[in-house]
Amino acid sequence: MLQLLECFTPLLRKYARKFEYEDTFAELQLYLIQLIKNFPLIADDWNDGQIVNYIAKAIYTYYIKLSKHNSFRENYLLEFNPEIMDRAARNIGTEQRMMLQEAFTQLSSWQKTVLVMHYLQGYSIQEIAKIYGKSRQAVNKVKVQALDILQKQLKH
């Protein structure tokens, strides 16, 4: 395991340098260890080049996932900055605030869950579907229905 970690350390460092977060290298190392532990059984017939290629692509895919997640986190922190939210709350009236709260109460708990996970926590529709054992289409339909309900409620 140590030899594999040493072999892939340059690649892990390359991807970790592209992030501003301290723990990225350790997170990538942990992913590599988990990847090796759960290596596919079909890999028994692979040559060394195929195995190295598989690991490199898996690390790259995980790097992209981290990149998207961190990008969302930065956008989330900017969008939901308390000062900005305080200013926005001052700009909308009490009536509008009450309308928004009322519109949100019209949603089912499942619709609220999908909206919160997708828009606030950064999960993709496919990830939400996998977590809850639903199809991607079913989760997307719930999201669209929830947004339609909110839109209709807010137009009145």
PDB file of all heavy atoms in Angstrom, residues 95-108 111-112 115 145-156:
ATOM      1  N   GLU A  95     -44.693  41.616   4.110  1.00  0.00           N
ATOM      2  CA  GLU A  95     -45.692  40.877   3.342  1.00  0.00           C
ATOM      3  C   GLU A  95     -45.023  39.862   2.413  1.00  0.00           C
ATOM      4  O   GLU A  95     -45.452  38.716   2.314  1.00  0.00           O
ATOM      5  CB  GLU A  95     -46.532  41.853   2.522  1.00  0.00           C
ATOM      6  CG  GLU A  95     -47.656  41.179   1.764  1.00  0.00           C
ATOM      7  CD  GLU A  95     -48.493  42.185   0.992  1.00  0.00           C
ATOM      8  OE1 GLU A  95     -48.688  43.310   1.470  1.00  0.00           O
ATOM      9  OE2 GLU A  95     -48.934  41.796  -0.100  1.00  0.00           O
ATOM     10  N   GLN A  96     -43.936  40.278   1.738  1.00  0.00           N
ATOM     11  CA  GLN A  96     -43.223  39.372   0.839  1.00  0.00           C
ATOM     12  C   GLN A  96     -42.583  38.224   1.610  1.00  0.00           C
ATOM     13  O   GLN A  96     -42.593  37.083   1.164  1.00  0.00           O
ATOM     14  CB  GLN A  96     -42.160  40.133   0.052  1.00  0.00           C
ATOM     15  CG  GLN A  96     -42.736  41.084  -0.972  1.00  0.00           C
ATOM     16  CD  GLN A  96     -41.665  41.955  -1.588  1.00  0.00           C
ATOM     17  OE1 GLN A  96     -40.768  42.416  -0.881  1.00  0.00           O
ATOM     18  NE2 GLN A  96     -41.753  42.177  -2.888  1.00  0.00           N
ATOM     19  N   ARG A  97     -42.038  38.543   2.761  1.00  0.00           N
ATOM     20  CA  ARG A  97     -41.418  37.511   3.598  1.00  0.00           C
ATOM     21  C   ARG A  97     -42.465  36.481   4.017  1.00  0.00           C
ATOM     22  O   ARG A  97     -42.233  35.281   3.993  1.00  0.00           O
ATOM     23  CB  ARG A  97     -40.760  38.163   4.818  1.00  0.00           C
ATOM     24  CG  ARG A  97     -39.771  37.253   5.508  1.00  0.00           C
ATOM     25  CD  ARG A  97     -39.004  37.956   6.622  1.00  0.00           C
ATOM     26  NE  ARG A  97     -38.304  39.124   6.134  1.00  0.00           N
ATOM     27  CZ  ARG A  97     -38.387  40.332   6.698  1.00  0.00           C
ATOM     28  NH1 ARG A  97     -39.115  40.519   7.763  1.00  0.00           N
ATOM     29  NH2 ARG A  97     -37.726  41.351   6.207  1.00  0.00           N
ATOM     30  N   MET A  98     -43.639  36.965   4.403  1.00  0.00           N
ATOM     31  CA  MET A  98     -44.719  36.066   4.819  1.00  0.00           C
ATOM     32  C   MET A  98     -45.206  35.227   3.638  1.00  0.00           C
ATOM     33  O   MET A  98     -45.505  34.044   3.797  1.00  0.00           O
ATOM     34  CB  MET A  98     -45.869  36.869   5.427  1.00  0.00           C
ATOM     35  CG  MET A  98     -45.530  37.439   6.795  1.00  0.00           C
ATOM     36  SD  MET A  98     -46.807  38.512   7.469  1.00  0.00           S
ATOM     37  CE  MET A  98     -48.206  37.429   7.512  1.00  0.00           C
ATOM     38  N   MET A  99     -45.264  35.834   2.445  1.00  0.00           N
ATOM     39  CA  MET A  99     -45.668  35.093   1.246  1.00  0.00           C
ATOM     40  C   MET A  99     -44.681  33.956   0.953  1.00  0.00           C
ATOM     41  O   MET A  99     -45.077  32.851   0.607  1.00  0.00           O
ATOM     42  CB  MET A  99     -45.755  36.025   0.045  1.00  0.00           C
ATOM     43  CG  MET A  99     -46.971  36.927   0.032  1.00  0.00           C
ATOM     44  SD  MET A  99     -46.958  38.129  -1.327  1.00  0.00           S
ATOM     45  CE  MET A  99     -46.752  37.106  -2.758  1.00  0.00           C
ATOM     46  N   LEU A 100     -43.398  34.250   1.104  1.00  0.00           N
ATOM     47  CA  LEU A 100     -42.372  33.239   0.861  1.00  0.00           C
ATOM     48  C   LEU A 100     -42.496  32.100   1.870  1.00  0.00           C
ATOM     49  O   LEU A 100     -42.437  30.927   1.503  1.00  0.00           O
ATOM     50  CB  LEU A 100     -40.979  33.870   0.921  1.00  0.00           C
ATOM     51  CG  LEU A 100     -39.807  32.964   0.577  1.00  0.00           C
ATOM     52  CD1 LEU A 100     -39.954  32.383  -0.820  1.00  0.00           C
ATOM     53  CD2 LEU A 100     -38.504  33.732   0.685  1.00  0.00           C
ATOM     54  N   GLN A 101     -42.685  32.447   3.135  1.00  0.00           N
ATOM     55  CA  GLN A 101     -42.855  31.411   4.164  1.00  0.00           C
ATOM     56  C   GLN A 101     -44.098  30.577   3.884  1.00  0.00           C
ATOM     57  O   GLN A 101     -44.077  29.352   3.998  1.00  0.00           O
ATOM     58  CB  GLN A 101     -42.945  32.043   5.550  1.00  0.00           C
ATOM     59  CG  GLN A 101     -41.633  32.595   6.043  1.00  0.00           C
ATOM     60  CD  GLN A 101     -41.772  33.360   7.359  1.00  0.00           C
ATOM     61  OE1 GLN A 101     -42.866  33.777   7.733  1.00  0.00           O
ATOM     62  NE2 GLN A 101     -40.660  33.540   8.042  1.00  0.00           N
ATOM     63  N   GLU A 102     -45.172  31.228   3.507  1.00  0.00           N
ATOM     64  CA  GLU A 102     -46.431  30.515   3.193  1.00  0.00           C
ATOM     65  C   GLU A 102     -46.240  29.598   1.990  1.00  0.00           C
ATOM     66  O   GLU A 102     -46.702  28.469   1.985  1.00  0.00           O
ATOM     67  CB  GLU A 102     -47.555  31.519   2.935  1.00  0.00           C
ATOM     68  CG  GLU A 102     -48.864  30.888   2.511  1.00  0.00           C
ATOM     69  CD  GLU A 102     -49.470  29.982   3.581  1.00  0.00           C
ATOM     70  OE1 GLU A 102     -49.245  30.222   4.774  1.00  0.00           O
ATOM     71  OE2 GLU A 102     -50.161  29.015   3.200  1.00  0.00           O
ATOM     72  N   ALA A 103     -45.568  30.102   0.958  1.00  0.00           N
ATOM     73  CA  ALA A 103     -45.322  29.288  -0.235  1.00  0.00           C
ATOM     74  C   ALA A 103     -44.513  28.045   0.114  1.00  0.00           C
ATOM     75  O   ALA A 103     -44.799  26.948  -0.367  1.00  0.00           O
ATOM     76  CB  ALA A 103     -44.600  30.114  -1.294  1.00  0.00           C
ATOM     77  N   PHE A 104     -43.543  28.196   0.981  1.00  0.00           N
ATOM     78  CA  PHE A 104     -42.700  27.060   1.357  1.00  0.00           C
ATOM     79  C   PHE A 104     -43.488  26.034   2.159  1.00  0.00           C
ATOM     80  O   PHE A 104     -43.230  24.841   2.081  1.00  0.00           O
ATOM     81  CB  PHE A 104     -41.482  27.553   2.135  1.00  0.00           C
ATOM     82  CG  PHE A 104     -40.303  26.625   2.046  1.00  0.00           C
ATOM     83  CD1 PHE A 104     -39.572  26.521   0.871  1.00  0.00           C
ATOM     84  CD2 PHE A 104     -39.918  25.849   3.121  1.00  0.00           C
ATOM     85  CE1 PHE A 104     -38.485  25.674   0.776  1.00  0.00           C
ATOM     86  CE2 PHE A 104     -38.845  24.990   3.038  1.00  0.00           C
ATOM     87  CZ  PHE A 104     -38.123  24.899   1.858  1.00  0.00           C
ATOM     88  N   THR A 105     -44.492  26.475   2.915  1.00  0.00           N
ATOM     89  CA  THR A 105     -45.297  25.522   3.693  1.00  0.00           C
ATOM     90  C   THR A 105     -46.191  24.680   2.785  1.00  0.00           C
ATOM     91  O   THR A 105     -46.698  23.649   3.215  1.00  0.00           O
ATOM     92  CB  THR A 105     -46.181  26.239   4.740  1.00  0.00           C
ATOM     93  OG1 THR A 105     -47.084  27.104   4.064  1.00  0.00           O
ATOM     94  CG2 THR A 105     -45.345  26.992   5.746  1.00  0.00           C
ATOM     95  N   GLN A 106     -46.386  25.110   1.547  1.00  0.00           N
ATOM     96  CA  GLN A 106     -47.209  24.357   0.601  1.00  0.00           C
ATOM     97  C   GLN A 106     -46.466  23.129   0.057  1.00  0.00           C
ATOM     98  O   GLN A 106     -47.071  22.267  -0.561  1.00  0.00           O
ATOM     99  CB  GLN A 106     -47.647  25.249  -0.578  1.00  0.00           C
ATOM    100  CG  GLN A 106     -48.453  26.450  -0.171  1.00  0.00           C
ATOM    101  CD  GLN A 106     -49.736  26.072   0.538  1.00  0.00           C
ATOM    102  OE1 GLN A 106     -50.472  25.205   0.058  1.00  0.00           O
ATOM    103  NE2 GLN A 106     -49.993  26.693   1.664  1.00  0.00           N
ATOM    104  N   LEU A 107     -45.177  23.068   0.290  1.00  0.00           N
ATOM    105  CA  LEU A 107     -44.376  21.948  -0.211  1.00  0.00           C
ATOM    106  C   LEU A 107     -44.445  20.769   0.744  1.00  0.00           C
ATOM    107  O   LEU A 107     -44.511  20.934   1.966  1.00  0.00           O
ATOM    108  CB  LEU A 107     -42.915  22.374  -0.377  1.00  0.00           C
ATOM    109  CG  LEU A 107     -42.622  23.533  -1.332  1.00  0.00           C
ATOM    110  CD1 LEU A 107     -41.141  23.849  -1.314  1.00  0.00           C
ATOM    111  CD2 LEU A 107     -43.093  23.224  -2.727  1.00  0.00           C
ATOM    112  N   SER A 108     -44.368  19.573   0.169  1.00  0.00           N
ATOM    113  CA  SER A 108     -44.283  18.373   1.002  1.00  0.00           C
ATOM    114  C   SER A 108     -42.878  18.291   1.598  1.00  0.00           C
ATOM    115  O   SER A 108     -41.947  18.964   1.130  1.00  0.00           O
ATOM    116  CB  SER A 108     -44.569  17.127   0.160  1.00  0.00           C
ATOM    117  OG  SER A 108     -43.503  16.894  -0.750  1.00  0.00           O
ATOM    118  N   GLN A 111     -40.427  17.316  -1.084  1.00  0.00           N
ATOM    119  CA  GLN A 111     -40.086  18.421  -1.975  1.00  0.00           C
ATOM    120  C   GLN A 111     -39.094  19.369  -1.300  1.00  0.00           C
ATOM    121  O   GLN A 111     -38.127  19.812  -1.922  1.00  0.00           O
ATOM    122  CB  GLN A 111     -41.349  19.175  -2.398  1.00  0.00           C
ATOM    123  CG  GLN A 111     -42.228  18.399  -3.349  1.00  0.00           C
ATOM    124  CD  GLN A 111     -43.579  19.050  -3.567  1.00  0.00           C
ATOM    125  OE1 GLN A 111     -44.119  19.695  -2.675  1.00  0.00           O
ATOM    126  NE2 GLN A 111     -44.133  18.870  -4.762  1.00  0.00           N
ATOM    127  N   LYS A 112     -39.322  19.664  -0.021  1.00  0.00           N
ATOM    128  CA  LYS A 112     -38.398  20.527   0.723  1.00  0.00           C
ATOM    129  C   LYS A 112     -37.017  19.891   0.789  1.00  0.00           C
ATOM    130  O   LYS A 112     -36.000  20.557   0.590  1.00  0.00           O
ATOM    131  CB  LYS A 112     -38.918  20.783   2.137  1.00  0.00           C
ATOM    132  CG  LYS A 112     -40.138  21.657   2.197  1.00  0.00           C
ATOM    133  CD  LYS A 112     -40.639  21.764   3.636  1.00  0.00           C
ATOM    134  CE  LYS A 112     -42.003  22.407   3.713  1.00  0.00           C
ATOM    135  NZ  LYS A 112     -42.548  22.395   5.060  1.00  0.00           N
ATOM    136  N   LEU A 115     -35.212  20.189  -2.602  1.00  0.00           N
ATOM    137  CA  LEU A 115     -34.748  21.562  -2.857  1.00  0.00           C
ATOM    138  C   LEU A 115     -33.554  21.923  -1.982  1.00  0.00           C
ATOM    139  O   LEU A 115     -32.581  22.510  -2.455  1.00  0.00           O
ATOM    140  CB  LEU A 115     -35.885  22.566  -2.647  1.00  0.00           C
ATOM    141  CG  LEU A 115     -37.017  22.537  -3.671  1.00  0.00           C
ATOM    142  CD1 LEU A 115     -38.054  23.606  -3.342  1.00  0.00           C
ATOM    143  CD2 LEU A 115     -36.506  22.708  -5.080  1.00  0.00           C
ATOM    144  N   GLN A 145     -41.713  20.150  -9.763  1.00  0.00           N
ATOM    145  CA  GLN A 145     -43.031  20.391  -9.160  1.00  0.00           C
ATOM    146  C   GLN A 145     -42.921  21.381  -8.001  1.00  0.00           C
ATOM    147  O   GLN A 145     -43.751  22.282  -7.862  1.00  0.00           O
ATOM    148  CB  GLN A 145     -43.649  19.079  -8.669  1.00  0.00           C
ATOM    149  CG  GLN A 145     -44.118  18.173  -9.767  1.00  0.00           C
ATOM    150  CD  GLN A 145     -44.540  16.801  -9.252  1.00  0.00           C
ATOM    151  OE1 GLN A 145     -44.197  16.400  -8.143  1.00  0.00           O
ATOM    152  NE2 GLN A 145     -45.282  16.070 -10.079  1.00  0.00           N
ATOM    153  N   ALA A 146     -41.912  21.218  -7.176  1.00  0.00           N
ATOM    154  CA  ALA A 146     -41.729  22.116  -6.028  1.00  0.00           C
ATOM    155  C   ALA A 146     -41.478  23.548  -6.496  1.00  0.00           C
ATOM    156  O   ALA A 146     -42.043  24.502  -5.950  1.00  0.00           O
ATOM    157  CB  ALA A 146     -40.579  21.623  -5.152  1.00  0.00           C
ATOM    158  N   LEU A 147     -40.647  23.701  -7.513  1.00  0.00           N
ATOM    159  CA  LEU A 147     -40.381  25.040  -8.035  1.00  0.00           C
ATOM    160  C   LEU A 147     -41.635  25.653  -8.660  1.00  0.00           C
ATOM    161  O   LEU A 147     -41.885  26.854  -8.513  1.00  0.00           O
ATOM    162  CB  LEU A 147     -39.235  24.993  -9.051  1.00  0.00           C
ATOM    163  CG  LEU A 147     -37.855  24.654  -8.484  1.00  0.00           C
ATOM    164  CD1 LEU A 147     -36.844  24.501  -9.605  1.00  0.00           C
ATOM    165  CD2 LEU A 147     -37.401  25.687  -7.475  1.00  0.00           C
ATOM    166  N   ASP A 148     -42.446  24.825  -9.329  1.00  0.00           N
ATOM    167  CA  ASP A 148     -43.708  25.321  -9.889  1.00  0.00           C
ATOM    168  C   ASP A 148     -44.642  25.801  -8.787  1.00  0.00           C
ATOM    169  O   ASP A 148     -45.282  26.850  -8.905  1.00  0.00           O
ATOM    170  CB  ASP A 148     -44.399  24.229 -10.718  1.00  0.00           C
ATOM    171  CG  ASP A 148     -43.751  24.003 -12.069  1.00  0.00           C
ATOM    172  OD1 ASP A 148     -42.955  24.869 -12.510  1.00  0.00           O
ATOM    173  OD2 ASP A 148     -44.029  22.954 -12.686  1.00  0.00           O
ATOM    174  N   ILE A 149     -44.729  25.038  -7.708  1.00  0.00           N
ATOM    175  CA  ILE A 149     -45.582  25.424  -6.579  1.00  0.00           C
ATOM    176  C   ILE A 149     -45.120  26.755  -6.000  1.00  0.00           C
ATOM    177  O   ILE A 149     -45.933  27.657  -5.768  1.00  0.00           O
ATOM    178  CB  ILE A 149     -45.590  24.320  -5.491  1.00  0.00           C
ATOM    179  CG1 ILE A 149     -46.335  23.081  -5.999  1.00  0.00           C
ATOM    180  CG2 ILE A 149     -46.206  24.833  -4.191  1.00  0.00           C
ATOM    181  CD1 ILE A 149     -46.183  21.857  -5.114  1.00  0.00           C
ATOM    182  N   LEU A 150     -43.816  26.877  -5.788  1.00  0.00           N
ATOM    183  CA  LEU A 150     -43.296  28.137  -5.229  1.00  0.00           C
ATOM    184  C   LEU A 150     -43.575  29.300  -6.181  1.00  0.00           C
ATOM    185  O   LEU A 150     -43.990  30.374  -5.748  1.00  0.00           O
ATOM    186  CB  LEU A 150     -41.784  28.020  -4.979  1.00  0.00           C
ATOM    187  CG  LEU A 150     -41.357  27.123  -3.818  1.00  0.00           C
ATOM    188  CD1 LEU A 150     -39.834  27.037  -3.766  1.00  0.00           C
ATOM    189  CD2 LEU A 150     -41.915  27.614  -2.505  1.00  0.00           C
ATOM    190  N   GLN A 151     -43.367  29.074  -7.465  1.00  0.00           N
ATOM    191  CA  GLN A 151     -43.577  30.142  -8.441  1.00  0.00           C
ATOM    192  C   GLN A 151     -45.047  30.577  -8.462  1.00  0.00           C
ATOM    193  O   GLN A 151     -45.352  31.764  -8.456  1.00  0.00           O
ATOM    194  CB  GLN A 151     -43.131  29.677  -9.819  1.00  0.00           C
ATOM    195  CG  GLN A 151     -43.160  30.767 -10.862  1.00  0.00           C
ATOM    196  CD  GLN A 151     -42.621  30.291 -12.199  1.00  0.00           C
ATOM    197  OE1 GLN A 151     -42.654  29.099 -12.494  1.00  0.00           O
ATOM    198  NE2 GLN A 151     -42.119  31.212 -12.997  1.00  0.00           N
ATOM    199  N   LYS A 152     -45.964  29.608  -8.467  1.00  0.00           N
ATOM    200  CA  LYS A 152     -47.397  29.932  -8.485  1.00  0.00           C
ATOM    201  C   LYS A 152     -47.806  30.668  -7.207  1.00  0.00           C
ATOM    202  O   LYS A 152     -48.582  31.619  -7.254  1.00  0.00           O
ATOM    203  CB  LYS A 152     -48.222  28.672  -8.656  1.00  0.00           C
ATOM    204  CG  LYS A 152     -48.163  28.107 -10.074  1.00  0.00           C
ATOM    205  CD  LYS A 152     -48.908  26.801 -10.186  1.00  0.00           C
ATOM    206  CE  LYS A 152     -48.704  26.200 -11.568  1.00  0.00           C
ATOM    207  NZ  LYS A 152     -49.245  24.863 -11.677  1.00  0.00           N
ATOM    208  N   GLN A 153     -47.297  30.211  -6.080  1.00  0.00           N
ATOM    209  CA  GLN A 153     -47.656  30.825  -4.806  1.00  0.00           C
ATOM    210  C   GLN A 153     -47.148  32.276  -4.720  1.00  0.00           C
ATOM    211  O   GLN A 153     -47.811  33.136  -4.185  1.00  0.00           O
ATOM    212  CB  GLN A 153     -47.099  30.029  -3.628  1.00  0.00           C
ATOM    213  CG  GLN A 153     -47.774  28.689  -3.410  1.00  0.00           C
ATOM    214  CD  GLN A 153     -49.213  28.875  -2.963  1.00  0.00           C
ATOM    215  OE1 GLN A 153     -49.531  29.718  -2.147  1.00  0.00           O
ATOM    216  NE2 GLN A 153     -50.094  28.053  -3.530  1.00  0.00           N
ATOM    217  N   LEU A 154     -45.967  32.492  -5.265  1.00  0.00           N
ATOM    218  CA  LEU A 154     -45.377  33.822  -5.166  1.00  0.00           C
ATOM    219  C   LEU A 154     -45.980  34.806  -6.178  1.00  0.00           C
ATOM    220  O   LEU A 154     -45.872  36.022  -5.990  1.00  0.00           O
ATOM    221  CB  LEU A 154     -43.861  33.758  -5.330  1.00  0.00           C
ATOM    222  CG  LEU A 154     -43.144  33.023  -4.194  1.00  0.00           C
ATOM    223  CD1 LEU A 154     -41.671  32.852  -4.512  1.00  0.00           C
ATOM    224  CD2 LEU A 154     -43.327  33.758  -2.875  1.00  0.00           C
ATOM    225  N   LYS A 155     -46.604  34.287  -7.236  1.00  0.00           N
ATOM    226  CA  LYS A 155     -47.239  35.181  -8.211  1.00  0.00           C
ATOM    227  C   LYS A 155     -48.550  35.756  -7.701  1.00  0.00           C
ATOM    228  O   LYS A 155     -48.990  36.776  -8.143  1.00  0.00           O
ATOM    229  CB  LYS A 155     -47.478  34.439  -9.528  1.00  0.00           C
ATOM    230  CG  LYS A 155     -46.236  34.309 -10.375  1.00  0.00           C
ATOM    231  CD  LYS A 155     -46.555  33.693 -11.706  1.00  0.00           C
ATOM    232  CE  LYS A 155     -45.296  33.618 -12.545  1.00  0.00           C
ATOM    233  NZ  LYS A 155     -45.560  33.008 -13.844  1.00  0.00           N
ATOM    234  N   HIS A 156     -49.186  35.066  -6.770  1.00  0.00           N
ATOM    235  CA  HIS A 156     -50.484  35.526  -6.263  1.00  0.00           C
ATOM    236  C   HIS A 156     -50.333  36.703  -5.357  1.00  0.00           C
ATOM    237  O   HIS A 156     -49.628  37.002  -4.606  1.00  0.00           O
ATOM    238  CB  HIS A 156     -51.209  34.384  -5.541  1.00  0.00           C
ATOM    239  CG  HIS A 156     -51.706  33.358  -6.500  1.00  0.00           C
ATOM    240  ND1 HIS A 156     -51.008  32.234  -6.793  1.00  0.00           N
ATOM    241  CD2 HIS A 156     -52.827  33.304  -7.255  1.00  0.00           C
ATOM    242  CE1 HIS A 156     -51.670  31.506  -7.673  1.00  0.00           C
ATOM    243  NE2 HIS A 156     -52.804  32.147  -7.969  1.00  0.00           N
TER     244      HIS A 156
END
